[in-house]
Amino acid sequence: TDPMGGSADLTQERRILAASTTTGTVTMCVSLVLFKEQPWLAVLLTAVSCFLVRVSLTVEKEGLAAYLPEIAVELLHTSPVEVIIRVGKFLIAAAYDLLRLALLLCRTYDEHQQRALLKAMGPGFRRAVFMQPLESLLPQPLRVFLFGSAAEEAEAEREAATGKRSTETSRQPSPAPPGRASQPS
């Protein structure tokens, strides 16, 4: 009866209040019955709600970037053109390395040509293809899922041993080329 429609707004607010009170009461009653039958559910819901509160507080304070890997945050701070250029360079280098590997596998070359192809490959690609086992090329979460956390420790030990062997072999004198006898000193 208010010319501005205040009475209608008040009636609508009362309906919303009654609906929310009824919904809250019914939800609480169903929850109590459910929690009585399944007490672990209460603990699970409490843990999930605490986790969500913690995440929301962290996101509010530090932002969602706190949960992203460092490389993703770095990419977010670069221009789209620069990201495209970086990805393009990486893909082109990988394609060239794969092409060189395919040439080595499918064609017959003399030793000089083979060395030239191997030198043209990236050192990380050469190491990954010729020296590392296939399992080390899998992403770290998949390795842990397949082989357990003990596999990570074994890989670290293997890398340490490989690093020691490569430094030991680099200290040894190289053998004399064929046709030349090494002279005793």
Side-chain angles (χ1 to χ4, degrees), residues 135-149 152 155:
E135 72 181 61
S136 67
L137 299 177
L138 296 173
Q140 191 265 346
L142 186 58
R143 275 197 314 260
V144 171
F145 179 72
L146 291 174
F147 304 110
S149 59
E152 291 294 313
E155 183 180 345

Side-chain angles (χ1 to χ4, degrees), residues 22-101:
T22 305
T23 304
T25 305
V26 169
T27 303
M28 189 182 313
C29 291
V30 169
S31 300
L32 288 175
V33 169
L34 187 61
F35 292 158
K36 185 176 179 184
E37 295 294 322
Q38 303 291 336
W40 59 269
L41 195 56
V43 174
L44 180 68
L45 288 176
T46 304
V48 168
S49 64
C50 289
F51 175 74
L52 291 176
V53 166
R54 176 68 180 154
V55 167
S56 66
L57 290 174
T58 303
V59 167
E60 180 185 349
K61 184 178 180 183
E62 300 171 12
L64 192 58
Y67 290 104
L68 296 176
E70 187 175 320
I71 192 164
V73 175
E74 180 184 324
L75 282 176
L76 290 173
H77 290 294
T78 58
S79 70
V81 172
E82 189 175 338
V83 171
I84 292 171
I85 290 171
R86 284 184 188 179
V87 169
K89 285 180 180 179
F90 173 78
L91 291 177
I92 289 170
Y96 278 138
D97 285 341
L98 288 173
L99 181 63
R100 290 179 186 117
L101 178 64

Side-chain angles (χ1 to χ4, degrees), residues 154-172:
E155 183 180 345
E157 291 174 4
R158 187 176 26 209
E159 286 177 3
T162 305
K164 288 179 185 175
R165 263 191 258 127
S166 66
T167 56
E168 289 172 1
T169 56
S170 64
R171 290 182 195 154
Q172 296 174 353

